[in-house]
Amino acid sequence: MVTAMSGEKSSQAPAAAGASSSDRDRQQDDGDIQKLATCNNNGDNQTEKKQQLPASLAFTAQAHPATLTAPVAQDSPNYLTYKKMESIIERMLDEESGVPVKTVKTFMTKIPSIFTGTDLITWMMRNMDVDDQEALHVAQLMAAHGYFFPIDDHSLAVKNDNTFYRFQTPYFWPSNCWEPENTDYAVYLCKRTMQHKTRLELADYESDYLARLQKLFSRKWEFIFMQAEAQNKVDKKRDKLERKVLDSQERAFWDVHRPMPGCVNTTELDIKKVCRNAGKSIPAFAATQPSANRRPNQQIHRSAGELKREIELLKQRLDRRIIKVSKVADALIGYFEQYAEYDPFFTLPEYPNPWVSDNLEMWEQDKLPREVSARRVKRWAFSLQELLADPVGRDQFIRFLDKEFSGENLKFWEAVHHLKTLPQKEVREQVTEIWNEFLSPDASCPINVDSRSYEATKKNLEKPDQWSYDVAAAHVYHLMKSDSYSRYLRSDLYKDFLNVSKKKTSVKGIRSIVSFTARKDTQAV
C-alpha cells in the first residue's frame, strides 16, 4: 500500500514555505504533532517516520503553535471506542491476513492503494464472525469516523459493492483528538481552487463555506491565499501517485470535521459523556478552588506539567465559543431580518391602517394593479406562498405559466383548495368534476403527476371527501415551487415588472416632494 505520508518528500512541508527557520525548529521539537504513523507499503514492512505537520494544518501551526497540540487522548470520552475500532483497522492493514489492498490500472491512469466494499465486508464476515448486515453496519460506523473512505464521494458511507475505498493514515485518526480551526479549512479550500483538476473541484457546500470564510477573514485573506499558494507549489513537487493518496486523505479528514450537509458530525462530543468523564477526573484548574477540607493558607504543590496543561486548557477556552446558536435560532433570525421591512412596528407601512384612519387605499390596492410598489413586488421572491397570496402576483404567475403551457397545475391546486371550502352536500359533485377535468384519461386539462400520487388519489375516490386530492395537490405544488416558481423569478416578465414598479415608486416619491414644497410655499405667501 502506498505510504500515506512519505518521510522524505513530506519533509518539505508547505508550512515551511512561509515560516522562518526558527518556526521549523520549534515545530520539529514538538513531539505531539511531529510523530506520524504510516500505512503499509506494497511488499514493504510497516514503518514509522517522523514528519512535519500536514499542509492542511500548517496555517494554525504558524499563527498559534499551541493551538494544534492535540489534547490528552485518554481525556476523550470516546477514547475506548476509538481504540476498539483502531484495533480492527490494524488487523485490516495486515499484509498477509488483512483486507486486500491493490493498485487498479485503468486506460490512462493508476488508482493506488484501494480496496472494494465487497472485499471489506467479506473480510469482516470472515474475521469478526458477523453476518453481512451487521458487518455493513459496523463498516458504516467506522467510515463515519474517517478510518476509511470512498475515493470519489464526500459522503462517508460504505456499500457492499465494487466501490473503491482507501484507508486513512493513522495520523488523522480520531484518537489524536484534532481540533482544526476555520483558518485551516480556509487554506485547504483556497488551495483546492488552485488545483485545476476534476477530482479536486469544490462541491456546492464547499463553495458556500469558502465564500463565508472569505467574508469572515477578509482582513487576513491575503495571508491565507499566500499560504495556500505555497502549499500548492510544494504539492506539485510530489510524486503523482503519492499526491493522489495525500489529496484524498486530506479531503477525508475535512469530510469528518466539516461534513457535507445531511451527514453526521462524529466529532461532536456527547454532553452526557463529557459530564460523566468530568465527574471521574478532576480538571487541572479545579485544584485552584478552595476546599472545605483544606486550610486557606495551605500551599498546593503541582508539577510543571500540570501547570502547563492548565495554561493550555485556559487558552483553548478563550478561543472556544461558549454559546452555540442552533440552526432553528439562525433560521428564526433570518426570517425576522427578511420581513423587518414589512413589519409595521419597525417600518412605516405603505398604506395606512383603514381602521385607524379614514384612508381606504389598503382595501382598494387590488383594484389598482398599475400602482404596485417595488417593495410589494420584492416580497414575491420570498416564497411561492407569498406570490400566490398577492392577487397581482398571482395574475402575473398565471401569465407566466400560460406562456410555458403549465397553467393547469395552478388551476388544479386552486380547485383542490376551493373544494375544502364547500359544504358537505356539494363535495361529491365537485370531486367528480375535478377528476374529469384534470386526472381522467379524457381530461380536458390534464396534469402530470407521478404514479404513486395518481394511485393514492384514485384509491381516495372510493370514499370521496374534501381531502381526496391532497396527495396529488402536494405533488403539483412541489413541482411549481421547485421548477416553475424559480424560473419565474429568473424570467424577464418578473424582472421587467419589478423595474417598472421601481420607476413608478421613484416618480411617485418625487411628486410627493414637489407637492409638499408647493404647499409650503403657498402657506408662506
Side-chain angles (χ1 to χ4, degrees):
M1 180 170 155
V2 175
T3 308
M5 295 284 183
S6 65
E8 297 178 358
K9 296 184 179 181
S10 296
S11 61
Q12 303 174 357
S20 61
S21 59
S22 60
D23 292 333
R24 289 198 298 269
D25 295 339
R26 185 174 65 252
Q27 291 178 0
Q28 291 175 356
D29 293 338
D30 192 357
D32 290 336
I33 56 177
Q34 298 302 325
K35 290 184 179 180
L36 305 178
T38 60
C39 300
N40 295 333
N41 269 333
N42 288 331
D44 297 336
N45 295 329
Q46 188 175 10
T47 59
E48 293 182 356
K49 302 178 182 180
K50 289 187 178 181
Q51 299 178 357
Q52 289 187 346
L53 196 63
S56 61
L57 304 178
F59 182 86
T60 301
Q62 290 183 1
H64 308 285
T67 305
L68 271 180
T69 304
V72 180
Q74 288 81 355
D75 291 347
S76 174
N78 299 325
Y79 177 72
L80 295 179
T81 305
Y82 294 152
K83 284 303 178 183
K84 289 181 180 179
M85 289 191 289
E86 289 168 8
S87 64
I88 299 175
I89 294 295
E90 291 174 355
R91 292 168 57 191
M92 292 181 180
L93 290 172
D94 188 85
E95 292 183 358
E96 298 180 357
S97 61
V99 177
V101 179
K102 54 192 176 183
T103 298
V104 175
K105 297 181 180 179
T106 59
F107 178 67
M108 297 181 63
T109 59
K110 292 182 180 180
I111 308 177
S113 306
I114 59 172
F115 58 92
T116 64
T118 304
D119 294 338
L120 176 66
I121 300 301
T122 303
W123 185 92
M124 297 180 72
M125 292 172 59
R126 185 175 64 249
N127 293 270
M128 299 176 62
D129 192 20
V130 294
D131 57 8
D132 57 345
Q133 294 296 329
E134 189 172 0
L136 183 62
H137 176 65
V138 175
Q140 293 275 12
L141 295 177
M142 299 177 74
H145 286 82
Y147 287 105
F148 42 78
F149 53 90
I151 63 173
D152 295 326
D153 195 357
H154 287 278
S155 178
L156 300 177
V158 178
K159 299 178 182 179
N160 190 7
D161 54 13
N162 292 325
T163 306
F164 291 147
Y165 299 87
R166 182 173 288 140
F167 284 109
Q168 180 64 281
T169 174
Y171 183 70
F172 285 140
W173 283 356
S175 59
N176 292 325
C177 300
W178 290 116
E179 295 182 1
E181 295 185 351
N182 288 331
T183 49
D184 304 314
Y185 194 42
V187 172
Y188 165 72
L189 294 178
C190 190
K191 182 181 68 173
R192 286 264 299 276
T193 60
M194 302 176 184
Q195 300 169 343
H196 303 289
K197 297 179 181 179
T198 305
R199 61 185 174 86
L200 295 174
E201 289 182 355
L202 295 182
D204 293 339
Y205 78 96
E206 289 178 321
S207 301
D208 295 340
Y209 264 126
L210 182 61
R212 291 200 296 266
L213 291 172
Q214 188 172 4
K215 184 178 180 181
L216 180 63
F217 301 118
S218 58
R219 295 185 177 181
K220 53 182 178 181
W221 188 255
E222 184 178 356
F223 182 49
I224 293 176
F225 184 83
M226 292 171 57
Q227 289 287 331
E229 194 174 21
Q231 294 175 14
N232 187 35
K233 291 180 181 179
V234 175
D235 289 342
K236 291 181 179 179
K237 299 179 181 179
R238 291 196 175 98
D239 181 69
K240 185 177 180 180
L241 295 180
E242 181 190 9
R243 189 165 63 247
K244 281 186 177 181
V245 175
L246 293 179
D247 289 341
S248 64
Q249 289 174 340
E250 187 178 17
R251 187 207 68 194
F253 171 79
W254 288 111
D255 286 342
V256 173
H257 290 82
R258 299 292 189 277
M260 64 183 297
C263 296
V264 179
N265 188 357
T266 57
T267 60
E268 293 181 351
L269 298 179
D270 186 0
I271 187 62
K272 294 182 180 179
K273 291 184 179 181
V274 174
C275 295
R276 185 165 59 247
N277 190 56
K280 294 180 180 179
S281 58
I282 301 176
F285 56 84
T288 60
Q289 303 295 331
S291 175
N293 299 328
R294 187 174 68 243
R295 293 192 299 271
N297 296 330
Q298 184 179 358
Q299 296 183 354
I300 304 173
H301 299 283
R302 288 185 291 169
S303 62
E306 293 178 349
L307 294 174
K308 289 182 179 179
R309 185 185 168 201
E310 179 183 349
I311 294 173
E312 294 299 329
L313 289 174
L314 293 175
K315 287 182 178 179
Q316 292 177 10
R317 292 179 66 188
L318 288 175
D319 297 334
R320 191 178 303 156
R321 286 186 177 184
I322 299 177
I323 301 175
K324 292 185 178 180
V325 182
S326 64
K327 293 183 178 179
V328 178
D330 289 339
L332 189 61
I333 293 173
Y335 177 84
F336 279 102
E337 289 178 350
Q338 184 182 33
Y339 282 90
E341 185 180 358
Y342 304 92
D343 194 332
F345 287 101
F346 297 98
T347 306
L348 186 67
E350 183 178 357
Y351 300 102
N353 189 346
W355 298 102
V356 178
S357 63
D358 295 333
N359 194 331
L360 304 179
E361 290 184 358
M362 176 175 287
W363 290 339
E364 296 177 353
Q365 58 177 323
D366 299 338
K367 301 178 183 178
L368 303 172
R370 296 181 180 178
E371 299 296 332
V372 179
S373 64
R375 187 170 69 168
R376 181 176 169 186
V377 178
K378 287 180 181 179
R379 190 167 181 172
W380 299 350
F382 289 176
S383 65
L384 178 59
Q385 183 179 2
E386 292 284 354
L387 177 63
L388 297 178
D390 193 321
V392 180
R394 175 183 168 277
D395 294 339
Q396 292 290 320
F397 191 52
I398 290 176
R399 288 178 56 193
F400 174 77
L401 292 178
D402 291 339
K403 286 184 178 181
E404 296 204 343
F405 305 100
S406 57
E408 65 276 0
N409 291 333
L410 183 58
K411 293 178 182 178
F412 171 75
W413 184 78
E414 291 180 339
V416 173
H417 273 257
H418 177 65
L419 174 65
K420 297 179 181 180
T421 63
L422 297 178
Q424 190 64 32
K425 61 181 180 180
E426 300 178 9
V427 169
R428 183 179 294 272
E429 180 182 356
Q430 186 65 22
V431 166
T432 305
E433 291 181 3
I434 293 176
W435 175 265
N436 293 333
E437 183 179 0
F438 297 103
L439 291 172
S440 67
D442 300 329
S444 58
C445 190
I447 61 172
N448 186 16
V449 295
D450 60 345
S451 58
R452 186 185 66 84
S453 302
Y454 183 83
E455 294 298 332
T457 304
K458 194 173 182 180
K459 185 178 180 181
N460 292 337
L461 292 183
E462 297 176 359
K463 296 181 180 180
D465 55 17
Q466 296 172 327
W467 301 275
S468 298
Y469 293 103
D470 279 1
V471 177
H475 177 72
V476 170
Y477 185 83
H478 176 72
L479 289 178
M480 292 192 298
K481 181 180 178 181
S482 59
D483 184 28
S484 302
Y485 174 65
S486 59
R487 283 190 285 108
Y488 168 70
L489 296 180
R490 297 192 301 266
S491 67
D492 295 335
L493 181 65
Y494 173 74
K495 293 178 181 178
D496 294 343
F497 196 84
L498 179 61
N499 293 332
V500 172
S501 300
K502 287 182 179 179
K503 292 179 181 179
K504 289 183 178 180
T505 303
S506 60
V507 171
K508 185 178 179 181
I510 294 174
R511 289 176 178 175
S512 63
I513 295 174
V514 172
S515 62
F516 176 76
T517 307
R519 284 200 309 269
K520 188 175 181 181
D521 295 341
T522 303
Q523 292 176 1
V525 174

